[in-house]
Amino acid sequence: MKDLLDHECRSSLLYRSFFEQMVQAAFLLDRSGSVCRGNAACEALTGYSAEEWEGYPFWKLAIEEEQEAVRRQTQSAGNGEPMSFCTVFAHKAGPPIPVEITYGAILSEGAAIGYYAMVQKLSQAVAGSREAKMCKMLDLSLEAAFVYEGGKLKYVNQSGIKLVGARGYKELLHYPFTSFFHPRDMSLIEEMQKRLERGETTSPIEAELIRLDGTRTDVEVCGTSVLIQDKLCHYILIRDVTVRKITHEYFQNSEKLALVGQLAAGIAHEIRNPLTSLKGFVQLMEKDGMRKQEYFSIMSSELARIELIVSELLVLAKPHASAFEVHDLTNLITHVVTLLETEAILQKVTIQVALESPLPKIHCDENQLKQAFINFLKNGIEATSGGGEIVIRLWCEGDKVVIRFEDNGVGIPAEQLSRLGEAFFTTKETGTGLGLMVSRRIIENHRGTLQLMSTPGIGTTVEVCLPVIS
């Protein structure tokens, strides 16, 4: 291949016009990236004679700390993905030389038999500019990097070219940045661009990138704005998160399987006890031929317990279609208190509502939130039964609303508090532990948080934080 390349250049106008007359240094490279020939400007640039660099890898002309970057760019050019970039060459007898390298293919009868590297010396002012340093860093980045000025693409690194599936930089000049993303993510991308126009730095956003061949991949996109020579440029980084998402889903599935095993063991234990009682009473009735009323009462109670366990499991397992609408949280809490007020009076428990500040409306599924709040109130009533007080405090804190259910009941020890929310772990004699698990899921589905705080002998506090309508 080297002989063919050398012969092609020597026997054609290409050699005379391109190599002999070029003012810029022009190196002829074979497919492996080794230097075959060069024009006179190559020696003037580096101080090395042709005999000293012919046959050596092209990237060895760079200073030691730049050689890996030049090797990567040279190999990319050999793979049909040439791109201009800045680096620093070594000089035989003088200081290092800042240069810009541009690659191109050499064809023979339509097939690439090698390629060339044109090396232009940069002035110290240009080489030391913020733009040159930034592009040098982006050349080494494994993340896709795009630089835009006035909406026009000025730079993209090799990682960016590969991510979108382009053949090179020039091909991407025909595509606006928004064209790489799924239409459903367009509002996020356009909002990011507006923030960049205002000179802001944006946080990473998740989106679906559509490559030029139509395939899709999950990515994170972020950007920043920088003034270069009094012009606002947008530096945008795109990270492929496909592997990370697959790994996350794998761990999520592993956690789900572990939870399924835990639930299965708990279900078997919780349902076996009432079934054992039912079986015993049926055998007694068959043996004695008697139908005692107390047997039926106990059997009915055990069947009701099985029904309760199954019902709560269905709430956890069966996906429910949420009906999110704008609601007044104060009215929602008032309704929940009204529902449980009679039960509280029977247990000699008082319920007070303390509204500490006017509350904005929230976006929620009213029925689901009521179910969670009813669970919290019922737990508080049971904990303070026999003469206690429950205070529901509501206030606004930044972009969220806080709801606290405070009781002065018996409290919960720290070792038990950490386990609340586990399936079939409960501090109540007749509880299943599923109520709190259901309530936690409801709060999380509303993009909220749930926190439990308790001190034995003082009481328990359930704190819920929910986002308000922005």
Side-chain angles (χ1 to χ4, degrees), residues 5 11 32 78 136 140 180 257 295 314 389 396 402 412 433 448 458:
L5 182 62
S11 62
S32 69
K136 184 190 293 283
L140 298 173
F180 299 126
L257 287 173
Y295 288 0
L314 285 174
E389 182 182 51
C396 196
V402 182
I412 306 168
I458 296 179

Side-chain angles (χ1 to χ4, degrees), residues 336-412:
V336 170
V337 171
T338 302
L339 287 174
L340 294 178
E341 199 164 28
T342 302
E343 183 178 342
I345 292 171
L346 291 174
Q347 299 295 331
K348 299 180 180 180
V349 176
T350 59
I351 302 175
Q352 295 184 16
V353 178
L355 184 62
E356 298 184 11
S357 61
L359 297 181
K361 293 186 177 182
I362 64 171
H363 201 238
C364 68
D365 185 314
E366 185 179 30
N367 290 329
Q368 287 190 8
L369 272 191
K370 280 182 180 178
Q371 181 182 354
F373 293 162
I374 286 171
N375 283 339
F376 302 147
L377 265 183
K378 277 188 172 181
N379 288 341
I381 291 171
E382 292 180 14
T384 57
S385 179
E389 182 182 51
I390 298 174
V391 180
I392 305 174
R393 303 187 189 276
L394 302 97
W395 72 89
C396 196
E397 194 174 281
D399 60 350
K400 62 186 178 182
V401 63
V402 182
I403 310 103
R404 272 192 176 179
F405 299 83
E406 302 175 353
D407 69 56
N408 60 354
V410 295
I412 306 168

Side-chain angles (χ1 to χ4, degrees), residues 27 50 63 92-93 137 141 150-151 154 164 181 200 218 225 231 280 297 314 327 357 381 393 423 435 457:
F27 293 88
I63 60 177
K92 184 175 183 178
M137 287 189 294
S141 175
K154 293 296 182 181
V164 299
F181 298 94
E200 300 177 16
D218 294 318
S225 299
K231 294 181 180 179
S297 176
L314 285 174
H327 288 285
S357 61
I381 291 171
R393 303 187 189 276

Side-chain angles (χ1 to χ4, degrees), residues 45-46 63 88-98 121 124:
L45 176 73
T46 65
I63 60 177
V88 180
F89 266 21
H91 191 278
K92 184 175 183 178
I97 315 148
K121 183 177 180 179
Q124 289 297 330

Side-chain angles (χ1 to χ4, degrees), residues 20 34 77 92 148 174 208 223 232 237 304 375 399 411 451 464:
E20 291 182 344
S34 295
K92 184 175 183 178
Y148 286 86
H174 307 292
E208 187 174 38
L232 187 67
L237 293 179
N375 283 339
D399 60 350
Q451 185 177 4
V464 175

